């Protein structure tokens, strides 16, 4: 069994104390032993095999957040104490920034957890499992009566829409294709990112872990729409294996044409 870094640092004290606790009582010894074994179980790091296609969940747990923020979609996964707390890359990409933000330690399932201590891992990606900006532009042009050329958008209208709908959750953050955020919980005091700026990540690769309770958010690229997401609030997730966005979402790889009865993603 693999363990996340730091596991033995937390487990060694109760494990070493267990024999000496017999001097006090058998119960005290068993409690110390259980604490050590439980700590190792908490830091377990099993191997995961991503499916052939699709964006995968970055964390084990339950979907607790699924909402639109401006032109972005946020998916949040809440991890309980029995979940594996190793975080994985949802798709392939290059790390553009790793930022630690100090904050509170509210329960990770509460609304106040948005102000908790966290680490942002920002990614640039051209993953075939994600819609591209070109897909979004084509869809917008098809839906409008008169396609608008690049650079001709009515700035005043766009600003008015932003003012009405509110800014994104983190307006001070630099632009990036996507972002995985590791959020501390009520008892989590240590976030351990493995990834560094400039790293190339494969889908399902480990990018960090959070010690003792947490939440992990995935902020999708702007080309992803809420209706593209393949999971719902309350669904159970397995990091690196559960598909949260199918490869065909947003027009990736074509789709089934109702008029011709053919799959545009397949060669004839």
């Amino acid at each position: 069994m693999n363990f996340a870094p730091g596991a033995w640092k937390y487990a060694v004290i109760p494990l070493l104390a267990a024999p000496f606790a017999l001097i006090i009582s058998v119960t005290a010894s068993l409690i110390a032993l259980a604490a050590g074994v439980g700590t190792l179980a908490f830091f377990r790091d099993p191997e995961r095999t991503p499916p052939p296609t699709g964006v995968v969940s970055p964390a084990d747990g339950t979907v607790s957040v699924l909402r639109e923020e401006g032109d972005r979609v946020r998916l949040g996964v809440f991890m309980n104490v029995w979940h594996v707390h190793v975080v994985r890359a949802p798709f392939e990409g290059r790390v553009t920034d790793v930022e630690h933000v100090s904050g509170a330690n509210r329960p990770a399932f509460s609304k106040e957890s948005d102000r908790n201590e966290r680490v942002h891992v920002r990614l640039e990606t051209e993953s075939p499992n994600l819609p591209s900006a070109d897909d979004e532009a084509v869809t917008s042009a098809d839906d409008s009566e008169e396609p608008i050329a690049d650079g001709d958008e009515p700035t005043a209208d766009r600003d008015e829409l932003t003012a009405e709908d509110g800014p994104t959750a983190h307006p001070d953050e630099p632009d990036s294709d996507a972002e995985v955020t590791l959020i501390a919980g009520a008892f989590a005091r240590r976030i351990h990112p493995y990834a560094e700026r400039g790293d190339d990540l494969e889908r399902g690769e480990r990018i960090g872990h959070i010690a003792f309770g947490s939440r992990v958010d995935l902020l999708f690229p702007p080309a992803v729409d809420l209706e593209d997401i393949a999971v719902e609030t309350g669904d159970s997730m397995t990091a690196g294996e559960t598909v949260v966005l199918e490869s065909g979402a947003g027009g990736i790889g074509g789709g089934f044409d109702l008029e011709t009865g053919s799959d545009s993603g397949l060669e004839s």
Side-chain angles (χ1 to χ4, degrees), residues 39-62:
T39 299
L40 290 177
F42 185 90
F43 281 87
R44 68 193 186 280
D45 183 10
E47 296 296 331
R48 297 285 170 79
T49 303
T53 60
V55 175
V56 295
S57 174
D60 283 21
T62 303

Side-chain angles (χ1 to χ4, degrees), residues 136-231:
E136 185 181 33
V138 170
T139 302
S140 299
D142 290 342
D143 292 341
S144 61
E145 295 181 359
E146 296 183 2
I148 301 174
D150 291 341
D152 292 340
E153 298 94 330
T155 304
D157 291 343
R158 186 172 66 247
D159 292 342
E160 182 179 356
L161 179 63
T162 302
E164 291 177 355
D165 294 347
T168 57
H170 307 288
D172 56 332
E173 294 175 357
D175 291 336
S176 61
D177 283 351
E179 178 181 281
V180 179
T181 302
L182 290 69
I183 304 174
F187 301 101
R189 304 299 179 185
R190 294 290 184 272
I191 301 175
H192 304 273
Y194 307 160
E196 298 179 352
R197 184 195 298 265
D199 286 353
D200 290 318
L201 301 176
E202 296 296 328
R203 189 167 57 107
E205 183 176 346
R206 299 169 177 86
I207 61 175
H209 79 273
I210 313 173
F212 304 114
S214 47
R215 189 180 105 196
V216 176
D217 283 9
L218 170 57
L219 190 64
F220 288 94
V224 174
D225 295 324
L226 189 60
E227 56 267 24
D228 295 333
I229 307 302
V231 297

